[in-house]
Amino acid sequence: GGPGPKRRAGDRQVPEGFYEIDGLNPNSLFHLSLRVDYPNAEDRAAATVPLKELGGDIFVHGGAASIGCVAIGDDAIEEVFTLVARVPAGRRRVVLAPLDLRLNPPPPTDDARVATLYRRLATELASLAPRAPRPP
């Protein structure tokens, strides 16, 4: 995909926004996986295609490659999966952003809805502990 949030099934995009983790899969084909509640109410309200065409089954998972999901590697998914499993269902909130908006400006966009989303994401991420850049 490219800059901008997921808008429909098969667009090779990753959802961007505020989501809940609504399922944990210890038997994933991608080592471990966490199901994201895409499309959520915000995605449905902003839909530009019929709701049945929005897609779904978006996961954060292990491995190094994906088309539409978020692959974070096996070591990272083990750590995240363990942390998420400790949080009660209904309180498993995740922020999916195009990049770390604490360290980088958002991608340019002419879409006012996406620009507003990026501002909201940046505000939320800024409220978290600052993250130091990883060494090269």
Side-chain angles (χ1 to χ4, degrees):
K6 184 165 196 60
R7 299 218 186 252
R8 68 180 317 135
D11 65 4
R12 301 178 64 104
Q13 295 296 101
V14 174
E16 296 174 354
F18 303 89
Y19 295 93
E20 293 288 326
I21 299 297
D22 63 4
L24 287 79
N25 183 3
N27 300 311
S28 172
L29 295 174
F30 298 94
H31 190 51
L32 298 167
S33 64
L34 306 167
R35 188 173 188 282
V36 177
D37 73 336
Y38 172 85
N40 63 17
E42 192 169 338
D43 296 312
R44 291 188 300 274
T48 58
V49 299
L51 296 182
K52 65 182 180 186
E53 295 178 20
L54 287 175
D57 287 332
I58 302 295
F59 291 84
V60 176
H61 60 71
S66 184
I67 300 172
C69 289
V70 181
I72 63 173
D74 290 349
D75 290 344
I77 194 62
E78 286 180 13
E79 184 176 348
V80 173
F81 190 95
T82 300
L83 291 171
V84 170
R86 295 178 182 166
V87 177
R91 298 191 58 207
R92 297 173 176 158
R93 187 167 174 258
V94 63
V95 176
L96 296 180
L99 46 90
D100 191 337
L101 297 170
R102 295 170 293 183
L103 302 174
N104 304 286
T109 181
D110 293 332
D111 184 324
R113 183 189 81 77
V114 174
T116 299
L117 173 63
Y118 287 167
R119 283 191 297 276
R120 290 176 49 222
L121 288 167
T123 299
E124 177 72 14
L125 291 170
S127 73
L128 304 173
R131 179 176 176 183
R134 289 185 178 193

